[in-house]
Amino acid sequence: MNEISEKRLKLGRTMYILQADLEYLISLLVGGSFLATLTTRLGFSDGLTGVLSSVISLGCVFQLISAFIRRSSYKWLVIALSIINQALFSALYLIPLIAGRRMFKTVLFAAVLFLAYFIYNLAHPLKISWLMSLVDDKKRGIFTSNKEIVSLISGMIFSFLMGALIDRFAERGAVKTAFLLTAGVMFAVTVLCTMTMVLSPEKKTEQTEKCNPFSAISGLIHNRKLMAVIGIFVLYYISVYIATPFYGVYQIKELGMSLKYVTVLTFAGSLVRIFVSRMWGRLADKTSFAEITEKCMLILAFGYVAVVFSTDVTGKITFLLYYLLQGIAMGGISSATFNLVFDYAPTRERAAALALCQAASGLCGFFTTIAVSPLVSVIQSRQNTVFGIHMYAQQLLSLVAALVTLGTVLLTHLALVKKRAS
């Protein structure tokens, strides 16, 4: 690899933190309650909204394509792909403004969302491998925690302001104006995000010859600990995509929460996550990312249990509890699971290993949502009755998500934590 001065490496790490932050701001506007606001405006059903939310998971499958890309430099390819994908995200807010039949808008919206995530996931492993190469392996825990804290702080302020803006215009009957302004904000963030990548240095590898990506993936499959990591990713994604794609519309429609209140809940969860993130990062650097994964998954399971008790009477309290517990858990999970891949994959194959983990888990997550989406519609058609008991579909799905998350805890303990201790 080419030598880069410590000064440039420090600049690169700073730019990476800013890039992740700006990219996170864009992701906030195309997920959760913001996505639910868009789909509700377009007249989508709860089930279709859940399926579209899971496109995020399905898109991870396309990360495998990155294994075919072998070159000495990825920087400018990643930058070009990122610009395209973020422009497509911005376009989602323009679709409700165009004239046309509902079916046309539905197909167009789904196609743009799918294409945006396809391009995003094509670039993601290459981008992470490039930017994480600027970070000392012994400090990955604390660095990823710092990166997350910056994103969370700005994300709280940003999502609150954007939620309040959309709510205010909606109350005035000017939703189209709110969508147009949001698209403009996303364009501005895209410009800033691009600048951070342009300013980041890159460690170029010597390997420029083409190779068989299937051989590289086959070698990774024989890595038992990496296979355990993939199993953890898969179970985690299944638990997430069983329930969370349906939370946004559940909060807004069934529980009657305003977008502003949902944003406040997100704010509370993010605030807790900020306070615990560095603690998890330091603990991971001292112990292991496997132990942090185990502990945080257990906390997340209790978060899902809180949603089991969410109704139109208790929802505001139980969802607050969910966001607080999820914030504590995600303060470690987002960093720990990601770094597990870097722990057990060879340095030269980290991008391929990350792509393999994300593809396997993303595929399972997507089909999980596809499988449970009809169940949501059936329960709603029966006036939210399950086995004769009045229960919203999301409550039942949250119970299943909690059980699957406990399975993730068990796998992490037996396959990684226990073996590391022995």
Side-chain angles (χ1 to χ4, degrees):
M1 291 187 178
N2 61 318
E3 293 297 327
I4 301 177
S5 67
E6 181 56 35
K7 184 177 180 179
R8 291 195 66 207
L9 284 174
K10 185 176 181 180
L11 172 65
R13 290 191 291 269
T14 301
M15 290 298 103
Y16 181 20
I17 290 174
L18 293 175
Q19 184 277 332
D21 175 31
L22 295 166
E23 189 173 75
Y24 175 64
L25 298 185
I26 292 177
S27 71
L28 288 174
L29 296 177
V30 293
S33 56
F34 285 97
L35 179 63
T37 300
L38 273 173
T39 58
T40 299
R41 177 71 180 181
L42 290 167
F44 293 2
S45 66
D46 290 7
L48 180 56
T49 298
V51 171
L52 288 176
S53 297
S54 67
V55 167
I56 301 172
S57 175
L58 179 63
C60 294
V61 175
F62 301 116
Q63 291 191 18
L64 282 175
I65 299 176
S66 64
F68 289 80
I69 305 174
R70 297 294 174 118
R71 49 195 295 175
S72 60
S73 174
Y74 299 112
K75 177 176 178 176
W76 294 105
L77 174 63
V78 168
I79 291 173
L81 292 174
S82 296
I83 292 173
I84 295 171
N85 114 261
Q86 290 168 6
L88 288 170
F89 280 146
S90 300
L92 292 175
Y93 278 87
L94 301 178
I95 292 175
L97 309 183
I98 64 177
R101 295 183 177 180
R102 177 179 295 181
M103 180 57 68
F104 169 72
K105 291 184 180 181
T106 299
V107 173
L108 180 61
F109 188 91
V112 171
L113 185 67
F114 181 87
L115 182 59
Y117 276 111
F118 170 79
I119 296 173
Y120 169 82
N121 284 286
L122 181 62
H124 185 70
L126 305 177
K127 177 180 62 186
I128 296 300
S129 182
W130 157 34
L131 295 173
M132 281 299 293
S133 69
L134 307 177
V135 182
D136 186 341
D137 276 348
K138 296 180 180 179
K139 298 179 179 179
R140 280 189 282 119
I142 193 65
F143 176 82
T144 51
S145 296
N146 289 336
K147 176 167 64 71
E148 184 173 273
I149 287 172
V150 172
S151 295
L152 289 171
I153 292 175
S154 62
M156 286 190 299
I157 299 171
F158 182 77
S159 60
F160 181 80
L161 292 176
M162 294 305 298
L165 181 146
I166 294 176
D167 279 343
R168 184 172 183 179
F169 277 94
E171 291 169 359
R172 296 178 176 179
V175 175
K176 291 185 177 180
T177 302
F179 287 173
L180 187 61
L181 289 173
T182 303
V185 170
M186 293 175 74
F187 174 77
V189 174
T190 296
V191 173
L192 294 175
C193 187
T194 301
M195 290 175 61
T196 63
M197 290 186 284
V198 170
L199 293 173
S200 297
E202 180 183 26
K203 292 182 177 180
K204 297 181 181 180
T205 61
E206 299 297 328
Q207 184 178 2
T208 58
E209 74 277 4
K210 293 184 177 180
C211 66
N212 183 353
F214 297 105
S215 298
I217 293 174
S218 177
L220 293 173
I221 291 175
H222 288 87
N223 184 331
R224 291 186 177 182
K225 288 188 176 180
L226 184 60
M227 288 302 99
V229 173
I230 291 178
I232 291 167
F233 266 74
V234 167
L235 287 177
Y236 170 58
Y237 268 60
I238 288 175
S239 70
V240 169
Y241 283 93
I242 280 176
T244 58
F246 305 97
Y247 281 177
V249 71
Y250 180 46
Q251 292 167 319
I252 292 174
K253 291 179 67 175
E254 280 81 3
L255 302 186
M257 299 181 190
S258 68
L259 188 57
K260 187 183 297 184
Y261 183 75
V262 173
T263 304
V264 170
L265 292 179
T266 305
F267 181 93
S270 297
L271 192 61
V272 172
R273 187 170 170 178
I274 289 170
F275 282 116
V276 302
S277 185
R278 285 180 63 86
M279 176 197 73
W280 289 128
R282 289 196 187 96
L283 191 58
D285 286 334
K286 291 180 180 179
T287 56
S288 72
F289 289 108
E291 290 184 40
I292 301 306
T293 300
E294 179 186 29
K295 291 179 174 62
C296 291
M297 288 291 180
L298 183 59
I299 295 171
L300 181 61
F302 284 106
Y304 287 129
V305 171
V307 182
V308 174
F309 298 97
S310 295
T311 66
D312 52 354
V313 176
T314 64
K316 289 188 176 181
I317 301 301
T318 53
F319 258 102
L320 174 60
L321 182 59
Y322 163 75
Y323 275 98
L324 293 176
L325 291 172
Q326 190 224 28
I328 295 172
M330 291 306 299
I333 289 175
S334 60
S335 172
T337 52
F338 163 77
N339 277 293
L340 282 177
V341 179
F342 281 66
D343 277 347
Y344 298 112
T347 301
R348 66 182 181 280
E349 298 297 343
R350 282 177 172 177
L354 182 61
L356 185 60
C357 286
Q358 296 279 20
S361 56
L363 191 63
C364 291
F366 175 77
F367 283 108
T368 295
T369 302
I370 291 293
V372 301
S373 183
L375 177 62
V376 174
S377 298
V378 169
I379 294 175
Q380 289 177 333
S381 67
R382 295 180 178 177
Q383 297 183 335
N384 297 311
T385 301
V386 181
F387 303 121
I389 303 172
H390 184 74
M391 175 183 291
Y392 289 109
Q394 287 85 347
Q395 292 175 276
L396 178 62
L397 297 180
S398 297
L399 177 60
V400 178
L403 295 175
V404 175
T405 307
L406 290 176
T408 311
V409 174
L410 183 61
L411 175 60
T412 305
H413 181 78
L414 295 178
L416 298 179
V417 177
K418 188 175 181 181
K419 288 188 177 182
R420 180 183 176 88
S422 61

